[in-house]
Amino acid sequence: EGSPCACGSCGDCFQKTALERALMRLPGISKANFDTIGGKVKIEYDPEKANPPKITERLQKLGYRIENTGGV
């Protein structure tokens, strides 16, 4: 998907993989894609199964600042 993390071993790749895996462990998350260049994560989830406050909490525990929790 045009990810700058093709090598799989640099710091950016490790950060991307760790964040995506941490989010995918939450119930209802179907996809998480972290853009290391833009510093944003796109999360797709089932609103009937996922808990948005838990997603926000997980991101904050991982050290990320939340700017926008909006979406469809």
Side-chain angles (χ1 to χ4, degrees):
E1 294 187 23
S3 170
C5 293
C7 72
S9 63
C10 70
D12 284 346
C13 291
F14 179 77
Q15 180 184 18
K16 175 182 172 59
T17 302
L19 175 59
E20 290 171 355
R21 284 184 182 165
L23 291 171
M24 292 296 294
R25 287 189 202 114
L26 293 172
I29 303 291
S30 58
K31 186 175 183 180
N33 186 10
F34 181 56
D35 175 6
T36 55
I37 294 172
K40 298 179 190 261
V41 63
K42 181 177 180 182
I43 302 168
E44 294 179 19
Y45 63 92
D46 180 342
E48 293 184 17
K49 295 179 182 176
N51 182 338
K54 288 283 185 190
I55 297 169
T56 299
E57 180 182 319
R58 174 70 53 97
L59 288 166
Q60 289 172 333
K61 283 184 178 181
L62 292 168
Y64 294 94
R65 184 172 48 103
I66 310 303
E67 290 182 7
N68 180 3
T69 58
V72 179

